[in-house]
Each structure stands twice: as structure tokens, then as C-alpha cells.
Amino acid sequence: MSSPNRTTHIRLTSHPEPGSAATRFPIRWGAETVAQRGPVIASTTTPGDRNVIGAHGGSYSIYRALAISARAMNPSQRPDLHNTHPTAEIREQPQWFSPGKIVSMDPFGHRVAQDFGQWIGEGIDIRPTIAVTKARLNLPEILAAMAAHRLAPDDHILHKSGDVSVTKIAIDPVWHLPGIAERFGTSENELRRTLFEQTGGMYPELVTRPDLRVFLPPIGSITAYVVGEVSALSDGKSRVACRVHDECNGSDVFGSDICTCRPYLVHGIEEAVKEAQGGGVGLIVYNRKEGRALGEVTKFLVYNARKRQEGGDSAATYFERTECVAGVQDARFQQLMPDVLHWLGVTRIDRLMSMSNMKYDAMVESGIEIGERVAIPPELIPPDASVEIEAKKAAGYYSPDGAPGDNALKATVGRDLDKF
């Protein structure tokens, strides 16, 4: 009989034993053809075919688990991909086949029904990680721009109702771990160990399955909004206006006036419309990196700390309070951000609605040429956001004249904050 004080350890794991290998469908990242590259298979309905770590849907995979736990969903359910194909063609680009150029998304994620239809028909559970559709945006600020005669309807891009016609692209993250490690200047082993430890051991395959080199992280997705023809982004002739924006729920959705996030986002959309109406193309990239990728809870704690400090909120302590609470001033680290631009074939941005040196440097160092950097117009800055603006001007992250950027502040680029 066991002693009542003895603890019995039960080994609970969902991964194969160390030493096993996913050899049926190997992934060869950066291969010359999609057939050579192979499919991304993350589904648990066919565990023997899995060739990646993680699950489809990023953070939403947890809700799928809840639906199954509540018996509202059959765990063996597979998506019917009939008529779900993209509404706009995303042409193959040389960047798709250039090793190291795209490491945080699957360039073929929107074409699985096309590229792997036969295997899907044979029962292999391969699912899209990218979806492309058509939509219309309607924002009160666009109506205000029309009323102020800054924009005029053309019934193709901008309609009399204020609707803006766009191609909308949703992208789930797919990480090639060797490529991610190289971008951040670390080893793959170090990256895998840290990911394993800092997720509380949620993904043991990170340390037990070195043969699995692709990871579907449980993080937010990316949405790209193209105003004009998608093909114009890569034709080398059309002017491109672009805003790369990091999520700010309080401002973007609810209109909080403590920062310039929604005003800058809407300004980017307005400029994208103007560019498309002039024969070019506009692009908005929206990254789910709430609160500088520190989360909304941390962001609100920082707000409290800033406003309760002796002397009140000030530009002088703007950066300091975030680091005191979070341990780091900014966790967005824009090294992965250019991947979606490379996927779309962007090689030059004529007008970048951003004054962020972090974003600018990431784009330029990845091979994208930048023309003009466009600052947010002063009249669009909310009064309560003046502390943010003054802090960034003082630190040198904001150039009010909108001049083309330089790398003079590269040594301090890690302190680039919020949504420039």
C-alpha cells in the first residue's frame, strides 16, 4: 500500500515522445515551390499528420476548446472550404521563396484549397491561415473629411455614403522558429526554451520536438486593408501610401483621447483613399499588439501611475512609468512587421503615415524603400494626448515637419513608443 504522504505524479502530455519525427509532411521553409515547401498541418483531428507546434486560430484556439468541452462542437469537425477562396488574387512574389524574407506568416496560407486540394480530398486536415475578402469601411471621420472637402466621392473607391471599398485580409501568425531566432539575434534553442518557459510550459513540443520547426503562437492576428487594386502594391509603378498601426482598443474603438492612435489611424485611411483615387494604392496594416504588446491591463496600470505621480502626468516621466510597471518600455519589436509587406510584394512606400524610427528602420533594413514620412496633422491631436506628443518630441521620436526619416536615433530606437 502506498504511503498517504507520498505524491503520485501523473505524466500528462499531448505530444509524441522525444525522438519521433514528422516525416510524412515535412515543411521546407523558403523552398522554390509550394509543393516542395509542403502544407502546414496543425489540426488535432489527425495527430499523426501534425507537422507544427500549436493550434490553428491563435488565441481563439482556446475558445474552440471551450466549445468542444461544452459539447457544442464536434472535435473531429473540419471546415468546408467550398466558396471560401480569396475574392482578390494575391500574386506570388519572389519574397515568398526567399529564405528569411518572411518568417512570421505562411505565404501560401490563403491557397490551401488550391495548392493541397487533392490531399484535403484524401482526408488530410489542412486549413487556411489567411483569408481574403471584399468589404466597405464607414467611419464618421471620413464623412467629416468629405464635408470639409478634403475628400470627394468617386463611386468606385469612396462612395457618396462615405463607404470606402477595400480588400480585407486576415492573417494568422505562423512562425518559422529558425527565422524568428535569426531576426532577433538569438539561437533557435534559446528561443524555444524561452517560449516554453514564459508560457508556463504550455507547449512542451518546443523543447521535446526539435524536428518541428514551425510554431502557431497563441497571439493576435494581422489585418490588412487595401484601398485600390491589390496588384498595384507590387507592380513597381503605382504610388503606395501606407499606415502600419498597432492596436489600441481604447482609442481605436472607444475614442479615448489620451493618445493619438485613432486619429493617426483614420488619417492613414484618409491618405490611403487619396492615393488610390489618384491612381495609386493605399494600405493599412493593423497589428494586434495592444498596449505596446504589453496588454491592456498593463496599459491601464501605467495610466494610473502616470496620473497619480507627484506633479501629475508629464512628458519627462512618460517613458519611465511604463518600464517601472512592465519591466520594458515597448515589447512590439518591429522586426517581424515587414513580413506582411513582403508577402504583398511591396518594395517601396511613397508616403508612410508614421514617424516611428522603429518601424522605419525595420522596413528599410528589410529592403523596403521609404519616400516621405508623414506626421499626424496638429489639429488631429486630442488635448489630453499632448503629454504623449511632447514626450516623443523631447526624445526625438517625432519630427513635426514630416521630413524623410534617418537613423540618427538608432541607438535608442528601443524606446519608440505607442503608435507612430
Side-chain angles (χ1 to χ4, degrees):
M1 180 179 293
S2 300
S3 166
N5 294 323
R6 182 178 299 170
T7 301
T8 301
H9 295 281
I10 300 175
R11 189 163 184 247
L12 179 63
T13 180
S14 61
H15 60 84
E17 292 298 317
S20 60
T23 57
R24 187 182 183 197
F25 298 102
I27 295 177
R28 300 180 180 89
W29 202 268
E32 294 182 359
T33 68
V34 62
Q36 293 173 348
R37 203 295 304 273
V40 170
I41 306 175
S43 174
T44 58
T45 61
T46 53
D49 293 334
R50 282 173 56 83
N51 59 8
V52 302
I53 303 165
H56 283 296
S59 56
Y60 291 100
S61 62
I62 302 301
Y63 289 101
R64 182 178 186 275
L66 284 177
I68 293 171
S69 297
R71 296 178 174 82
M73 180 178 178
N74 186 334
S76 62
Q77 188 272 340
R78 299 185 184 189
D80 178 357
L81 299 179
H82 181 66
N83 281 339
T84 64
H85 56 278
T87 58
E89 181 183 5
I90 309 296
R91 297 175 181 171
E92 287 187 2
Q93 303 296 331
Q95 295 93 318
W96 296 14
F97 307 98
S98 177
K101 205 70 170 180
I102 298 175
V103 300
S104 63
M105 57 179 287
D106 177 8
F108 309 99
H110 59 304
R111 302 189 344 180
V112 298
Q114 170 188 334
D115 293 332
F116 305 112
Q118 181 177 344
W119 284 352
I120 293 173
E122 293 174 1
I124 308 302
D125 195 356
I126 307 170
R127 305 188 180 192
T129 57
I130 301 175
V132 183
T133 191
K134 297 284 188 181
R136 288 191 179 189
L137 307 182
N138 190 293
L139 298 97
E141 291 92 339
I142 295 297
L143 288 169
M146 294 170 67
H149 304 292
R150 295 197 308 271
L151 290 176
D154 58 83
D155 293 327
H156 174 58
I157 292 167
L158 178 61
H159 303 267
K160 292 184 177 65
S161 61
D163 289 354
V164 179
S165 293
V166 298
T167 298
K168 186 163 61 172
I169 306 168
I171 304 168
D172 278 341
V174 179
W175 285 9
H176 181 237
L177 292 172
I180 297 288
E182 184 176 354
R183 288 275 181 96
F184 285 90
T186 187
S187 69
E188 182 184 347
N189 286 342
E190 178 69 15
L191 173 66
R192 296 172 77 110
R193 181 184 62 80
T194 306
L195 286 170
F196 171 72
E197 292 176 351
Q198 296 302 314
T199 57
M202 185 183 296
Y203 297 97
E205 292 160 313
L206 286 166
V207 293
T208 65
R209 295 293 305 275
D211 59 298
L212 299 181
R213 311 190 79 180
V214 175
F215 177 41
L216 274 58
I219 60 176
S221 58
I222 300 169
T223 309
Y225 297 85
V226 182
V227 186
E229 297 298 324
V230 176
S231 59
L233 289 167
S234 60
D235 66 13
K237 300 177 293 184
S238 303
R239 286 177 54 85
V240 176
C242 177
R243 166 72 182 164
V244 176
H245 190 87
D246 294 326
E247 177 182 27
C248 179
N249 185 59
S251 178
D252 297 342
V253 179
F254 293 100
S256 172
D257 64 353
I258 197 172
C259 61
T260 58
C261 301
R262 180 181 173 96
Y264 220 149
L265 173 61
V266 174
H267 175 60
I269 295 172
E270 182 175 335
E271 293 302 310
V273 170
K274 288 179 182 176
E275 199 68 68
Q277 288 182 322
V281 60
L283 173 63
I284 307 295
V285 177
Y286 194 90
N287 296 289
R288 268 65 178 196
K289 295 179 181 178
E290 176 64 59
R292 304 173 203 148
L294 300 170
E296 206 165 33
V297 169
T298 295
K299 182 164 74 170
F300 288 8
L301 293 174
V302 171
Y303 285 168
N304 288 346
R306 283 170 49 191
K307 291 180 178 294
R308 288 172 176 164
Q309 64 190 345
E310 185 176 352
D313 196 9
S314 71
T317 58
Y318 180 87
F319 299 154
E320 176 187 344
R321 297 311 299 150
T322 300
E323 190 166 6
C324 288
V325 174
V328 64
Q329 293 174 350
D330 192 327
R332 289 174 297 166
F333 306 116
Q334 301 290 352
Q335 287 94 326
L336 304 179
M337 174 269 294
D339 283 15
V340 63
L341 303 176
H342 292 306
W343 177 66
L344 289 166
V346 175
T347 58
R348 173 182 169 83
I349 295 173
D350 296 276
R351 304 188 75 236
L352 176 65
M353 270 60 72
S354 171
M355 298 311 298
S356 165
N357 290 311
M358 184 183 286
K359 293 177 183 176
Y360 173 83
D361 287 345
M363 292 179 187
V364 171
E365 289 170 5
S366 75
I368 296 173
E369 183 183 354
I370 305 296
E372 178 187 7
R373 293 168 69 181
V374 182
I376 184 173
E379 63 270 18
L380 297 183
I381 299 173
D384 204 29
S386 59
V387 170
E388 174 202 43
I389 289 295
E390 293 307 313
K392 292 173 180 177
K393 285 180 180 178
Y397 302 125
Y398 188 81
S399 300
D401 58 4
D406 57 47
N407 292 330
L409 297 173
K410 198 169 182 179
T412 57
V413 72
R415 290 177 55 187
D416 178 32
L417 300 178
D418 280 336
K419 301 299 180 298
F420 288 154

